[in-house]
Amino acid sequence: MLPLPKLGVGLAFQTPLRGLIERPAGAFDMVEVVPDILWTDLGPGHEPRYLDDIEHLAWLDGIARGMPVIPHGIGLSIGSAAHFDPQHLQQLRRWHQRLRFPWYSDHLAFHVADHRGEAVNVGITLPLPRDLATIDLIRPRVRQVQAAVPVPFLLENNVWYFDIPEAEMDEATFLNALCERCGCGLLLDLHNVHTNAVNHGFDARGFIDELDLTNVGEIHVAGGMMLDGVYLDAHSDAVPDEVWALLEHTLPRCPNVGAVVFELFGSWFDVVGEARVRADLRRMKRLWQSCQPHRAIRAEPDFKVAA
């Protein structure tokens, strides 16, 4: 994988975080946005099919004049057995023509299933079998994504609350083979790794050490919660100590990484508090800068969207 532009530390967009995003005050360098939440998909057969959220897109245009805006999709469903939607790619192509982002990512999962020949959205990202058949399914779809959106494409390691039995490969081997054979990069979500390690009882750092970290183009961190004995990737808290330790171990070993992004669902923003969010972002930025010894470090100017 080619080195990505070194953007730095990012914050994932949620509507309650708009005020913080408008006033970065040097705490972060870029914004990541789930594009699918900023349009309404009327479904195949409608023209136009996608209705953009004009108000939020205009706001994003203003943000993009001050810092990069990177899309992180949830709607691709690249692992669906029977349904892969080229119109979704054309919508992403229109977004690229508008924002000119330097890379794009989505989830290594599926949420669109087949029921009696009809596509059904099950409403959650589901894990894929870790085998060569899955890689063979995904490889031509990665090429379609790259043809429609001509920037590096990353797939995010998924959180999984159940395992698929009789897998051909362990997860690290599967991710390494996927990147090598499909020509995509890896968005390494360290909170997903932590969640899986807690729920399935493996060593998270040992898992990281089995990955080919030259494939990593972006890193995600977040916080979660325990519920009924299961640890959830809830994006509901500040970054826990275990994930900080993983980040400190992993980031210096990722030569091609372009950003580290903190994810927090907007419904938890008031609970966590702006001060803690900013503190975590600044800690991430100090770690990022320590891993860029040959890059000039400068304070980022404050940025405020014009009314």
Side-chain angles (χ1 to χ4, degrees):
M1 174 169 164
L2 295 175
L4 296 183
K6 299 291 186 182
L7 299 187
V9 169
L11 178 62
F13 166 77
Q14 294 270 291
T15 298
L17 278 68
R18 273 184 57 159
L20 190 158
I21 291 170
E22 291 169 357
R23 301 183 303 276
F28 55 96
D29 311 291
M30 49 84 72
V31 173
E32 189 162 84
V33 61
V34 174
D36 316 67
I37 67 174
L38 297 183
W39 67 58
T40 300
D41 181 358
L42 300 178
H46 289 82
E47 184 58 41
R49 173 174 170 177
Y50 297 95
L51 302 180
D52 289 327
D53 182 336
I54 300 301
E55 188 269 334
H56 269 105
L57 273 182
W59 180 81
L60 273 183
D61 286 341
I63 295 298
R65 288 193 290 269
M67 64 175 63
V69 174
I70 307 294
H72 174 56
I74 59 173
L76 190 59
S77 196
I78 199 167
S80 290
H83 300 281
F84 186 68
D85 190 351
Q87 288 187 331
H88 183 87
L89 297 182
Q90 292 310 307
Q91 173 70 352
L92 291 168
R93 182 180 182 89
R94 287 188 285 272
W95 264 60
H96 180 249
Q97 291 168 345
R98 181 172 189 140
L99 292 172
R100 296 296 175 184
F101 40 82
W103 72 80
Y104 158 64
S105 64
D106 208 293
H107 293 74
L108 179 59
F110 76 99
H111 63 270
V112 179
D114 184 81
H115 179 66
R116 298 178 180 176
E118 298 292 328
V120 177
N121 190 330
V122 301
I124 188 172
T125 56
L126 293 172
L128 299 172
R130 299 189 301 271
D131 54 32
L132 289 176
T134 296
I135 293 175
D136 288 341
L137 174 73
I138 289 174
R139 184 191 298 122
R141 295 177 176 181
V142 168
R143 294 192 185 120
Q144 285 181 259
V145 173
Q146 293 168 332
V149 185
V151 295
F153 176 55
L154 315 179
L155 284 168
E156 177 185 337
N157 58 299
N158 203 33
V159 65
W160 37 279
Y161 297 103
F162 62 91
D163 201 3
I164 297 175
E166 300 179 2
E168 290 179 7
M169 306 174 222
D170 60 48
E171 187 180 11
T173 302
F174 177 71
L175 293 174
N176 292 341
L178 177 91
C179 293
E180 178 183 357
R181 291 170 180 256
C182 296
C184 60
L186 178 64
L187 193 165
L188 179 57
D189 190 312
L190 293 178
H191 192 254
N192 286 357
V193 174
H194 172 63
T195 300
N196 294 339
V198 170
N199 291 329
H200 299 285
F202 64 82
D203 175 50
R205 180 175 291 199
F207 169 82
I208 295 296
D209 290 342
E210 293 174 1
L211 290 175
D212 180 354
L213 296 178
T214 65
N215 292 322
V216 176
E218 182 178 329
I219 294 173
H220 277 180
V221 295
M225 66 171 71
M226 293 294 300
L227 180 66
D228 296 332
V230 177
Y231 186 78
L232 301 180
D233 177 43
H235 296 186
S236 58
D237 207 344
V239 181
D241 291 342
E242 297 88 345
V243 176
W244 278 119
L246 282 181
L247 181 61
E248 291 164 355
H249 176 74
T250 304
L251 183 58
R253 294 168 170 81
C254 297
N256 300 320
V257 67
V260 179
V261 175
F262 175 53
E263 298 181 295
L264 178 70
F265 281 152
S267 55
W268 294 96
F269 181 49
D270 287 342
V271 176
V272 176
E274 180 172 333
R276 179 58 192 271
V277 172
R278 286 189 180 275
D280 274 13
L281 289 166
R282 291 186 185 279
R283 180 176 173 181
M284 289 165 58
K285 194 160 185 179
R286 288 193 297 271
L287 178 59
W288 174 270
Q289 290 170 342
S290 74
C291 296
Q292 314 296 322
H294 303 300
R295 294 179 58 84
I297 299 171
R298 61 180 178 85
E300 294 294 330
D302 203 334
F303 178 76
K304 184 71 172 70
V305 176

